Amino acid sequence: MHILDIILKKRNGRKLTREEITFIVDGYTKDMIPDYQVSAFLMAVYFRGMDQDETLWLTEAMLHSGDIVDLSNIPGIKVDKHSTGGVGDKTTLIIGPIVASCGVPVAKMSGRGLGHTGGTIDKLESIPGFRTNLSKEEFVENVREIGLAVAGQTGNLAPADKKFYALRDVTGTIENISLIAASIMSKKLASGSDAITLDIKTGSGAFMKTVEDATVLGRAMVDIGHGAGKKITALITEMDRPLGLAIGNALEVAEAINVLKGDGPQDLTQVCIELASNMLMHGGKGTMETCRRLAANALADGSAMMKLVEMIKRQGGDPGVAEDPSRLPKAPIQVEWKADISGYIHSMQAEKLGMASMVLGAGRKTKTDVIDPSSGIVLLKKAGDRIDKGEPLAILHTSVEETIAEATSLLYSSIRVQSEPVEQRPLILGRVE
Ligand code: URA
């Protein structure tokens, strides 16, 4: 088999075989095919696409390039979730404890934030002492013992994806549905769960800007999951608006704790109940209606909160943050952002809010930037609300005073105000089975 023949075949729009795809993935992972030829291959895929079979074969080749976590000696159906990333998306911190407290084991590997989107690992690390770098053995042991572990990617999972992603990043080949779906799903399948709930975010703060694009990505990922023998569902959820009111790591942990105490923002609570119910349904706990009741009860009776405390203790964190969120890192500077006009908020672009939070110190522009866990934004008003000139719209939290001017200018550019009330679109925009 020759790499050039495979490049030409895809360039000319023909379907590749499983063997050809595996040849490229293995060859590149073992440094036997150079970057320039794989770049040409990726560009051919970008323009010509891959069908459902090819996308599954690519996923499987990347999945088998490294370790696969073995959860088979843990009783029950093990479930996982994945969000394509958004602003203020702290759902894992809430859903994991809800689902585990209902008796369905959750094994979740998460990532760090980059650009305007946050990452669950950064959020958890804002809890003093919390460890996210679990070994594979410790990860499995925690799921077996307490039904819940959330960790950074452990071991050598899907190393081919790491190489392919880095090359795609510098060759203009990120935005292809098959490549994105195979990249995400190879890592999800390597994490070893039996069932996966996907949260495909759509809107200004998300990777997928339209419901149509999000649905196409959801379909591709669900097809891969089925092809690999998993239970899988994708929910398409709203990300024109940030989820909840807090954006930034420790601020989001505090908000997640409020939701688990039954006192969180309504939008965040609703999306969490919907995603958790889906995971419970995959876990064999009944219909969506039954599972919605189970999830709501786990919030109401405090069992989900207790499960979070158990996970924090188990992973070395300070469990006292649950009772007393003031033990989380606190920014020394807090300033109000005020309305310069009266009316109804038509929209507050999530992407710009995420960028403002990043400027304040909560995010990374590049992978090597160090984040400040205490910084970010807490919104006091959201799209749809009535505001009066001079009224505070948000509190900015930072350790670096010089960041405030740039963050505030981003915030003013994020908001559109009009004289008439504005209806907001629903939070759950679609479902792909
Ligand atoms: N996230 C991933 O892990 N891979 C992609 O290709 C895009 C987003």
Side-chain angles (χ1 to χ4, degrees):
M1 215 175 281
H2 292 289
I3 174 71
L4 181 58
D5 296 335
I6 302 174
I7 295 170
L8 291 173
K9 192 170 172 187
K10 185 42 77 184
R11 188 200 67 181
N12 295 338
R14 291 169 52 212
K15 177 170 176 166
L16 301 178
T17 65
R18 181 195 284 272
E19 291 67 32
E20 286 164 336
I21 290 173
T22 307
F23 175 83
I24 291 214
V25 172
D26 283 356
Y28 188 50
T29 310
K30 292 175 186 146
D31 288 328
M32 282 153 51
I33 305 176
D35 281 354
Y36 58 84
Q37 284 183 306
V38 178
S39 304
F41 169 74
L42 289 170
M43 193 56 85
V45 171
Y46 180 88
F47 281 113
R48 291 298 195 169
M50 280 184 155
D51 73 6
Q52 196 178 326
D53 292 333
E54 292 171 293
T55 308
L56 177 61
W57 296 331
L58 176 63
T59 311
E60 288 178 343
M62 295 203 293
L63 163 67
H64 293 293
S65 67
D67 301 339
I68 299 176
V69 178
D70 182 5
L71 300 172
S72 62
N73 63 5
I74 300 171
I77 300 170
K78 279 72 66 184
V79 301
D80 191 1
K81 77 159 271 261
H82 178 80
S83 160
T84 53
V87 178
D89 180 3
K90 68 283 288 175
T91 55
T92 295
L93 309 181
I94 301 159
I95 296 168
I98 293 179
V99 174
S101 69
C102 293
V104 174
V106 180
K108 170 94 180 87
M109 289 195 192
S110 293
R112 295 190 183 277
L114 187 61
H116 70 278
T117 62
T120 302
I121 291 304
D122 297 322
K123 292 170 203 190
L124 282 169
E125 285 181 353
S126 70
I127 300 172
F130 195 95
R131 284 193 309 113
T132 58
N133 61 338
L134 306 184
S135 68
K136 213 165 49 172
E137 293 69 29
E138 201 178 353
F139 178 75
V140 175
E141 185 61 19
N142 288 6
V143 179
R144 189 186 9 251
E145 291 292 319
I146 67 163
L148 176 62
V150 183
Q153 201 167 301
T154 65
N156 181 36
L157 300 197
D161 174 63
K162 217 170 273 166
K163 280 201 81 175
F164 271 86
Y165 192 87
L167 189 61
R168 285 168 59 210
D169 204 21
V170 293
T171 54
T173 51
I174 291 281
E175 296 90 353
N176 171 273
I177 292 289
S178 290
L179 296 178
I180 296 171
S183 164
I184 296 173
M185 289 303 293
S186 63
K187 289 175 287 209
K188 282 286 108 182
L189 296 174
S191 310
S193 289
D194 307 303
I196 302 162
T197 295
L198 301 168
D199 178 8
I200 317 266
K201 304 234 163 268
T202 182
S204 73
F207 204 43
M208 294 287 132
K209 302 293 180 200
T210 66
V211 174
E212 292 70 31
D213 285 350
T215 306
V216 172
L217 179 61
R219 177 85 267 149
M221 289 165 72
V222 165
D223 287 342
I224 293 170
H226 284 156
K230 305 286 180 186
K231 290 187 188 186
I232 182 163
T233 307
L235 300 188
I236 314 295
T237 68
E238 156 65 21
M239 189 39 73
D240 264 339
R241 302 162 258 167
L243 201 46
L245 299 168
I247 307 166
N249 301 289
L251 298 168
E252 293 191 38
V253 171
E255 185 168 76
I257 289 170
N258 284 341
V259 173
L260 290 169
K261 287 180 176 164
D263 195 23
Q266 189 274 335
D267 62 338
L268 175 60
T269 307
Q270 187 192 333
V271 170
C272 287
I273 297 245
E274 202 60 21
L275 290 165
S277 310
N278 208 83
M279 293 165 78
L280 290 169
M281 189 186 63
H282 284 159
K285 292 290 176 183
T287 62
M288 272 301 280
E289 246 347 277
T290 306
C291 292
R292 281 191 192 104
R293 268 199 304 277
L294 282 175
N297 283 345
L299 290 181
D301 69 11
S303 51
M305 185 71 227
M306 278 161 57
K307 188 54 78 177
L308 177 73
V309 169
E310 218 179 334
M311 179 180 81
I312 294 175
K313 271 191 204 152
R314 184 101 193 168
Q315 294 189 217
D318 171 10
V321 297
E323 269 311 304
D324 178 10
S326 73
R327 296 163 81 128
L328 290 163
K330 206 187 216 113
I333 304 167
Q334 296 176 19
V335 293
E336 286 178 345
W337 166 47
K338 290 186 178 161
D340 60 353
I341 187 173
S342 299
Y344 291 89
I345 304 178
H346 171 279
S347 52
M348 266 186 191
Q349 269 189 44
E351 183 170 12
K352 290 204 171 141
L353 297 178
M355 280 160 58
S357 172
M358 180 181 77
V359 166
L360 291 168
R364 299 180 184 82
K365 285 195 190 98
T366 70
K367 278 183 192 161
T368 50
D369 286 354
V370 176
I371 60 163
D372 168 10
S374 67
S375 60
I377 298 168
V378 177
L379 298 171
L380 303 171
K381 298 284 178 185
K382 284 186 79 168
D385 289 345
R386 159 93 210 164
I387 55 169
D388 289 313
K389 187 171 174 180
E391 195 178 5
L393 303 178
I395 311 283
L396 279 57
H397 297 242
T398 188
S399 307
V400 184
E401 189 151 9
E402 293 69 32
T403 61
I404 292 170
E406 186 184 348
T408 307
S409 133
L410 274 163
L411 290 175
Y412 279 118
S413 72
S414 79
I415 188 167
R416 205 175 122 201
V417 177
Q418 63 178 47
S419 54
E420 297 302 314
V422 195
E423 185 105 342
Q424 299 299 314
R425 65 177 179 174
L427 294 165
I428 311 294
L429 296 161
R431 187 180 175 90
V432 184
E433 299 286 353

